[in-house]
Amino acid sequence: MTLPRQSQAALPADLADVRRKLEQLAAEQRVPELIELVLGLLIQLRDKNTALSAKLASALRELYGRKSQKLSTEQLMLLFGELGAEAPQGTADPSPSPQPGQGVVPQPSEPPKPPRGRGGRAPLPAHLPRETRVVPVPEEERTCPQCGAEKKCIGHRTSEVLEFVPAQFRVIEEQREKLACPRCPEQGVTTADSEKVMDRGRPGPGLLASIIVEKFEDSMPLYRQAQQYARFGVSLSPSTLGDWSAFALDVLAPVAERIEERVLGSCYLRADDTGMRVLDRDHPAGVKRGHIWAFVGADLVAFLYAPDWRAKHPAELLQSFTGYLQGDGYAGYGAMLRGDDRGEAIVPEERRLGCGMHIRAKFEKAAKGGDARAAVALSYFKAIYRIEAACKDEALSAEARWTRRQELSLALVDELYQWVHELHLGLVPGTPLYVATQYAINQEAAWRRCFTEGRFEIDNGEVERQLRRVALGRKNYLFAGSDKGAQRLAIGYTIFGSCRMHGANPLAWATDVIGRLQAGWPRKRLDELLPDAWASSARTAPTAGDPDAT
């Protein structure tokens, strides 16, 4: 049976060619070849439809769904129920029962969940200022209704009220003393130096610190800060606040540079980046996509701005780096060369470490897309991370953590990758589970390297947490006004990210350090102002006669 001529003419060119081929095979009675051709076309369409459906579901989940990667044991059991299988051997409880003489340290199978129900009130912090307010009994109730005698005070019933006293601006009038000799007028007048931190501006160190803390820690754009100050009766334009913020960051730039030196000079470095919209008059769209790189090392974090995503920018920073670098599957790491284009690789493959969070995230994405087979990988990750959590809870040394990983973790990693390699061969290319297994295979050697030393983490989680602050701020202020503005953003995230790592109060730190730097703090003693040292010990500012003062 042939189609009417109109139907044939309406066919697209590619389908018309297919039709002619099928008619040729049918005319030649080559039925097996015709069937194989039709089946091949159907398989291609099915695979393409499966991949597109998965991409659509993934896009909808990214737009509306939950972002957390955490999956409870109950969720994993539901996924295994869809598979009609039980959890893989060894993943429900990562710790085998210790045998006599083996010295295996048992691990908790699951941290206990807090009991549900209303808990008691947490006590108010003891450091808060307190005042006592005596509330008297009303006058009409101070006499006994039975005998008419006046009641005596036998004590007080005490309760606490937590009150908030709004912040307030304060004007400090600086009167600098002037001295002159009444007998020697030719000697002129001696005037005390100003203690202002900004020569041609009026903000004090506390106000400068508040502006940058609210922007970088609280992600509050400058125009919102101007609105907030207006409620206190002080009119400050966003442009003025911008000038003051830039001044404060320029003052703190030497501290950020020293943090960068410490971080990039460490032997174990963790890195990742995130995009940043930057206004650019030379760009056809008027705005370009820059990148903020985050590097964690030496218990500090350094943020650095790059105008694009090319590998030459991190390569310029890492020219003297000779340690281990941990990151995701960014191809630019392998393209970073020392010196010119003919130089050696800055971070060769044997010194690159993978990230378990990036591998797990792709399986988690496949599971949320409805592929229950991803639950197998997630169960292994859950067991491995439970061992890591126990190591941190017990505050194990690097050597002890390495031993624990050899005893418990490596067997799980081996089982996980055996399952990944077997499953990958039968998956449809382009589906989320195929992408997850392919990424896991590509990162296998780098991730296994994380287990070779106890000082290495098995993921890049600290960098990811630091970059969240950048992402939150980006949603509020939307873009940087220029490359210079983006560089100042990197300074702010560097100093306050490092404060956060060591629990230093960012407002107290910035107020103190701005004042000290503007008072002539010696540059060779910058390490004493870094957040880790500042949080652990008290320092004194150099006196006027200190020979180290600059």
Side-chain angles (χ1 to χ4, degrees), residues 233-365:
V234 178
S235 178
L236 295 172
S237 67
S239 61
T240 298
L241 296 180
D243 293 339
W244 292 355
S245 172
F247 172 80
L249 293 173
D250 289 343
V251 170
L252 294 171
V255 177
E257 292 172 3
R258 181 59 186 140
I259 291 175
E260 177 186 333
E261 292 174 2
R262 287 263 306 270
V263 170
L264 298 181
S266 64
C267 58
Y268 170 39
L269 195 61
R270 290 171 277 174
D272 205 347
D273 74 299
T274 187
M276 175 66 65
R277 289 165 56 87
V278 181
L279 297 185
D280 185 358
R281 294 181 179 179
D282 298 331
H283 194 278
V287 62
K288 64 182 179 183
R289 179 179 173 85
H291 284 264
I292 297 286
W293 283 86
F295 297 92
V296 171
D299 294 327
L300 296 167
V301 59
F303 289 84
L304 300 154
Y305 168 71
D308 53 53
W309 207 31
R310 287 183 291 179
K312 72 172 189 177
H313 301 294
E316 291 172 356
L317 301 170
L318 299 174
Q319 284 298 309
S320 60
F321 180 69
T322 58
Y324 288 84
L325 179 68
Q326 186 168 37
D328 56 12
Y330 173 55
Y333 292 135
M336 295 189 303
L337 303 178
R338 204 179 307 280
D340 56 21
D341 293 339
R342 296 184 300 275
E344 63 176 355
I346 294 176
V347 188
E349 182 62 33
E350 61 269 17
R351 287 196 282 110
R352 288 176 57 186
L353 305 175
C355 174
M357 287 178 60
H358 282 83
I359 301 174
R360 182 184 63 182
K362 297 187 183 300
F363 285 104
E364 185 266 345
K365 187 175 183 179

Side-chain angles (χ1 to χ4, degrees), residues 105-169:
V105 180
Q107 297 295 315
S109 60
E110 186 78 28
K113 295 182 179 180
R116 293 189 176 184
R118 295 182 59 186
R121 292 179 178 177
L124 296 177
H127 68 271
L128 295 180
R130 294 172 179 264
E131 66 177 61
T132 301
R133 181 185 304 169
V134 178
V135 182
V137 174
E139 192 64 34
E140 60 273 13
E141 299 180 17
R142 300 182 69 87
T143 58
C144 177
Q146 182 173 343
C147 67
E150 184 177 358
K151 296 180 179 179
K152 302 296 183 180
C153 179
I154 60 173
H156 296 84
R157 177 172 293 176
T158 303
S159 59
E160 293 181 329
V161 176
L162 183 62
E163 183 60 285
F164 174 72
V165 179
Q168 59 178 327
F169 284 90

Side-chain angles (χ1 to χ4, degrees), residues 460-493:
N460 215 17
E462 181 58 39
V463 178
E464 297 290 334
R465 288 186 287 273
Q466 292 287 349
L467 287 175
R468 287 177 190 169
R469 188 74 57 171
V470 181
L472 180 59
R474 187 176 55 209
K475 288 183 178 180
N476 289 301
Y477 53 71
L478 302 180
F479 54 80
S482 63
D483 287 336
K484 183 63 176 178
Q487 291 169 2
R488 286 196 175 105
L489 287 175
I491 292 173
Y493 287 119

Side-chain angles (χ1 to χ4, degrees), residues 127 209 213 217 495-496 498-513 531 534-535:
H127 68 271
V213 167
E217 278 294 289
I495 56 180
F496 293 121
S498 296
C499 282
R500 199 178 313 117
M501 290 181 70
H502 292 277
N505 183 313
L507 184 60
W509 179 88
T511 302
D512 182 38
V513 173
W534 189 92

Side-chain angles (χ1 to χ4, degrees), residues 92-95 105-112 383 386-387 389-390 393-394 404:
D93 184 354
S95 58
V105 180
Q107 297 295 315
S109 60
E110 186 78 28
R386 199 179 298 154
I387 296 171
D393 291 342
E394 298 173 29
R404 181 74 59 85

Side-chain angles (χ1 to χ4, degrees), residues 54-249:
K55 288 181 179 179
L56 176 60
S58 176
L60 292 174
R61 187 171 58 257
E62 288 292 328
L63 186 61
Y64 302 111
R66 179 172 170 265
K67 298 298 189 297
S68 173
Q69 295 182 15
K70 292 183 178 180
L71 283 178
S72 66
T73 303
E74 291 77 10
Q75 289 174 297
L76 285 177
M77 292 304 104
L78 286 175
L79 291 172
F80 281 120
E82 295 182 18
L83 288 174
E86 296 182 356
Q89 183 71 24
T91 59
D93 184 354
S95 58
S97 300
Q99 299 296 325
Q102 291 185 349
V104 179
V105 180
Q107 297 295 315
S109 60
E110 186 78 28
K113 295 182 179 180
R116 293 189 176 184
R118 295 182 59 186
R121 292 179 178 177
L124 296 177
H127 68 271
L128 295 180
R130 294 172 179 264
E131 66 177 61
T132 301
R133 181 185 304 169
V134 178
V135 182
V137 174
E139 192 64 34
E140 60 273 13
E141 299 180 17
R142 300 182 69 87
T143 58
C144 177
Q146 182 173 343
C147 67
E150 184 177 358
K151 296 180 179 179
K152 302 296 183 180
C153 179
I154 60 173
H156 296 84
R157 177 172 293 176
T158 303
S159 59
E160 293 181 329
V161 176
L162 183 62
E163 183 60 285
F164 174 72
V165 179
Q168 59 178 327
F169 284 90
R170 179 180 301 175
V171 178
I172 299 176
E173 183 178 2
E174 186 180 73
Q175 295 185 349
R176 291 180 288 158
E177 186 180 19
K178 298 193 300 183
L179 302 178
C181 179
R183 296 180 181 179
C184 308
E186 68 276 6
Q187 294 297 322
V189 178
T190 302
T191 306
D193 292 334
S194 174
E195 295 182 352
K196 294 172 61 176
V197 296
M198 190 174 183
D199 290 338
R200 297 188 178 182
R202 293 183 292 182
L207 178 55
L208 291 174
S210 176
I211 293 171
I212 58 177
V213 167
E214 287 186 347
K215 179 168 183 177
F216 293 100
E217 278 294 289
D218 303 330
S219 303
M220 183 182 293
L222 296 178
Y223 80 91
R224 293 187 192 170
Q225 295 187 43
Q227 295 172 350
Q228 175 179 288
Y229 296 157
R231 293 196 294 269
F232 294 108
V234 178
S235 178
L236 295 172
S237 67
S239 61
T240 298
L241 296 180
D243 293 339
W244 292 355
S245 172
F247 172 80
L249 293 173

